[in-house]
Amino acid sequence: DVVMTQSPLSLPVTLGQPASISCRSSQSLVHSDGNTFLNWFQQRPGQSPRRLIYMVSNRDSGVPDRFSGSGSGTDFTLKISRVEAEDVGVYYCIQGTHWPPYSFGQGTKLEIK
Amino acid sequence: EVQLVESGGGLVQPGGSLRLSCAASGFTFSNYEMSWVRQAPGKGLEWISYINSGGITKYYADSVKGRFTISRDNAKNSLYLQMNSLRADDTAVYYCARGAWSSLWEYWGQGTLLTVSS
């Protein structure tokens, strides 16, 4: 099974400042079809998870452009260019290349400093 | 508008059974793969089961294999999770989520809480 490792697990950020979350996989997430199925999800307090980014760098509809995803192979990053209050929550990277099972990062809790 | 609405959660004794349902609307349910994902209180997300659009291919996490059964009724636009031999560590909010591959879990339900306790 693929192991996903996120860092940091806790991320205090000042409003308006950037934030970055790293996600590393135990093996390459490049599928045999050439695609990389690495996704980022946000879970605000008391809410269901919401997908932000799919296939490394594609923003979902309605996701603010301050969110961006990058990376390749085994090393991926979610960046928030300027953190807003509504960004508070837990962020998960999830791989959908080598499944079952789907594997998740441990989650990064973003809070406002 | 895509909607997924879970139901069926509640309080069950250890060893008991329960069936969760997920009612889908706003899209052609029979075209989409579906999964169940759960979240224990204060913990992270855990994928537990997948079913393909036709209901033939099914996968399970090791933690539930042999105890849980996923199914769907495309005529009723519904997804199900039959849970048997429930344990305390099955206590969680259970979400249904739509899609796989590039559309992995693009939509989620609001979740239904299962509590396993005596």
Side-chain angles (χ1 to χ4, degrees):
Chain A
D1 297 355
V2 178
V3 177
M4 306 294 288
T5 304
Q6 275 182 242
S7 63
L9 300 185
S10 178
L11 185 56
V13 184
T14 300
L15 285 172
Q17 292 301 301
S20 180
I21 301 170
S22 170
C23 176
R24 290 196 166 99
S25 57
S26 60
Q27 60 183 273
S28 173
L29 298 185
V30 180
H31 190 268
S32 56
D33 67 5
N35 291 310
T36 301
F37 298 99
L38 185 283
N39 310 273
W40 290 96
F41 288 76
Q42 174 196 61
Q43 189 174 30
R44 291 169 170 155
Q47 295 188 12
S48 302
R50 166 199 183 196
R51 196 177 71 172
L52 298 176
I53 302 285
Y54 64 97
M55 293 174 67
V56 181
S57 59
N58 297 276
R59 255 191 319 273
D60 273 281
S61 175
V63 174
D65 61 7
R66 64 179 182 274
F67 289 91
S68 63
S70 63
S72 63
T74 62
D75 202 348
F76 304 93
T77 303
L78 176 70
K79 290 183 178 176
I80 310 173
S81 58
R82 296 172 306 279
V83 169
E84 298 190 6
E86 66 177 17
D87 300 335
V88 166
V90 181
Y91 293 79
Y92 297 91
C93 62
I94 299 172
Q95 72 86 17
T97 297
H98 305 293
W99 63 278
Y102 291 103
S103 23
F104 299 69
Q106 310 96 306
T108 295
K109 186 173 185 179
L110 186 150
E111 61 179 25
I112 303 301
K113 212 186 280 186
Chain B
E1 180 196 3
V2 172
Q3 283 202 318
L4 297 169
V5 180
E6 301 93 337
S7 61
L11 175 63
V12 179
Q13 292 191 336
S17 298
L18 204 65
R19 188 177 86 155
L20 304 182
S21 298
C22 169
S25 61
F27 64 100
T28 304
F29 180 69
S30 59
N31 287 350
Y32 287 88
E33 300 153 281
M34 300 291 296
S35 284
W36 287 98
V37 179
R38 70 182 180 183
Q39 186 170 38
K43 302 296 185 182
L45 300 167
E46 178 190 18
W47 167 80
I48 56 171
S49 190
Y50 158 95
I51 188 168
N52 75 338
S53 58
I56 303 301
T57 301
K58 305 175 184 181
Y59 299 119
Y60 300 93
D62 287 345
S63 58
V64 305
K65 202 172 293 183
R67 300 187 300 123
F68 290 12
T69 302
I70 192 171
S71 63
R72 65 191 295 159
D73 185 335
N74 286 342
K76 294 184 177 179
N77 294 330
S78 292
L79 176 73
Y80 305 103
L81 186 68
Q82 177 66 43
M83 304 180 293
N84 299 329
S85 304
L86 284 164
R87 312 186 302 222
D89 63 0
D90 293 318
T91 295
V93 174
Y94 286 74
Y95 298 99
C96 61
R98 190 190 89 171
W101 301 110
S102 61
S103 62
L104 181 67
W105 305 340
E106 194 176 1
Y107 292 96
W108 296 65
Q110 85 289 348
T112 187
L113 175 63
L114 167 69
T115 303
V116 183
S117 174
S118 55

